[in-house]
Amino acid sequence: MKLILSRKGFDSANGGCPSPILDGRLCSLPIPDAGAPTTYAKISPLNGSSVARIVEDLTRGRVQQGDGAHLDPDLRRDAISRTAGWRPIFGQAASAQSHLARHEVGCGDLFLFFGCFRQAEKVGGGFRFVRDAPKLHVIFGWLQIARVSRATSELATEMPWTEGHPHLAAPQRYKNNTLYFASDRLSSVSLKTRGAGTFDRIRPELILTKTDSNCSVWQLPRWFDPNGRPALSYHSKPARWTDCDNSMRLQSVGRGQEFVLDVDEYPEARAWVRSIFRAANR
């Protein structure tokens, strides 16, 4: 089994700001995409709040409600109008997909999606970030892989319920265009839950960032220490890792989307994943 920490959603490079934490709830914003068939205005409200209004307010109008939204990973059935047969999908392409392929990511492997978040608030009908609230890298969703397929027009015809996914709307837009379809149940870590979904509320167990540092400095369980094993991909340099007695501090890379860990080399990862789900469901 492979565990993939996958960076997605708004940040300083994509969207220009973090995704918000509103009333303790995680609101991961899909990045802008002019070629996407879904606009922010078409996305259903999150916890009663208009996604389009959140995006316009937090970007100070740089991103508009009529702009295209790259709704990927697509994890919420109620995010937009669906046809029968829909299931969660994640698309990847170009060099990031090549990285996944080199690590032989496939059926049974588990994506944990994380993004950059910051505490926000609703004031007078609008939204703004809370002054001095830190940026945090937070896990917001998951997908266990049941099928991997090249994204083609033929696939879109075979599965009409995929209509609207940005990687299938115009498959030729992307090189090495690939789709990961979710399993029905999360079996890879022996949990009775859906094969894909989102964590709605922020919990300490979902936060990767070391609380007294910038968001790219992570505090991880001590078993993440490579100690002669293949490290979390893109993080093989020993200088990135600092032993902090009961934990490991990691200076995560500033670029890159998919960070792969071989669970056969790190069997403690299974218990860690189970603890995340149990804490999120409390």
Side-chain angles (χ1 to χ4, degrees):
M1 174 186 163
K2 307 292 194 310
L3 178 66
I4 309 98
L5 296 176
S6 181
R7 175 162 38 204
K8 296 294 172 285
F10 264 41
D11 58 20
S12 58
N14 298 284
C17 67
S19 290
I21 304 168
L22 289 165
D23 296 324
R25 296 182 178 273
L26 297 168
C27 178
S28 178
L29 300 176
I31 65 173
D33 178 1
T38 298
T39 64
Y40 290 101
K42 292 180 180 178
I43 299 176
S44 300
L46 273 172
N47 306 313
S49 297
S50 163
V51 171
R53 180 64 185 272
I54 292 170
V55 167
E56 287 195 346
D57 288 354
L58 295 185
T59 66
R60 299 181 180 179
R62 294 189 303 275
V63 182
Q64 297 285 316
Q65 64 175 328
D67 292 346
H70 192 84
L71 189 59
D72 184 50
D74 188 6
L75 303 175
R76 291 195 303 122
R77 178 179 290 276
D78 63 351
I80 58 174
S81 178
R82 307 290 190 184
T83 57
W86 177 86
R87 67 190 308 149
I89 319 174
F90 167 54
Q92 192 51 280
S95 60
Q97 169 54 30
S98 296
H99 184 73
L100 294 175
R102 281 195 300 272
H103 285 272
E104 300 181 338
V105 170
C107 294
D109 295 339
L110 177 64
F111 286 101
L112 289 180
F113 300 108
F114 74 93
C116 183
F117 288 83
R118 187 182 174 195
Q119 187 73 34
E121 59 188 353
K122 189 173 185 178
V123 179
F127 298 90
R128 68 184 184 190
F129 288 112
V130 173
R131 184 184 298 273
D132 298 327
K135 297 178 183 178
L136 302 169
H137 278 159
V138 182
I139 298 169
F140 68 86
W142 76 93
L143 183 148
Q144 181 181 302
I145 304 166
R147 172 179 173 178
V148 183
S149 300
R150 296 287 293 184
T152 63
S153 299
E154 291 75 17
L155 185 66
T157 301
E158 174 193 343
M159 300 179 175
W161 53 268
T162 62
E163 182 182 3
H165 191 279
H167 281 257
L168 278 175
Q172 67 278 6
R173 280 208 300 156
Y174 301 100
K175 294 181 179 179
N176 207 13
N177 195 2
T178 304
L179 290 175
Y180 295 86
F181 295 86
S183 60
D184 291 328
R185 307 297 294 175
L186 182 58
S187 60
S188 57
V189 288
S190 303
L191 288 173
K192 295 181 179 179
T193 189
R194 303 186 309 278
T198 59
F199 299 110
D200 292 330
R201 300 195 69 87
I202 190 166
R203 298 280 188 177
E205 293 83 359
L206 299 174
I207 300 173
L208 296 170
T209 298
K210 185 175 172 63
T211 54
D212 60 352
S213 304
N214 65 54
C215 66
S216 64
V217 178
W218 295 357
Q219 185 168 342
L220 299 172
R222 198 175 187 284
W223 58 260
F224 265 93
D225 183 2
N227 194 25
R229 298 173 293 180
L232 181 69
S233 64
Y234 288 114
H235 297 87
S236 59
K237 292 182 179 179
R240 291 192 174 277
W241 298 89
T242 303
D243 189 339
C244 299
D245 294 329
N246 294 323
S247 64
M248 294 298 295
R249 187 174 68 216
L250 172 63
Q251 176 60 65
S252 65
V253 296
R255 300 184 66 84
Q257 297 182 49
E258 313 295 344
F259 309 146
V260 184
L261 191 74
D262 188 339
V263 175
D264 289 341
E265 296 282 353
Y266 296 81
E268 303 94 334
R270 293 182 185 272
W272 180 64
V273 172
R274 284 194 292 269
S275 71
I276 288 173
F277 279 88
R278 286 169 181 156
N281 290 328
R282 285 202 298 265

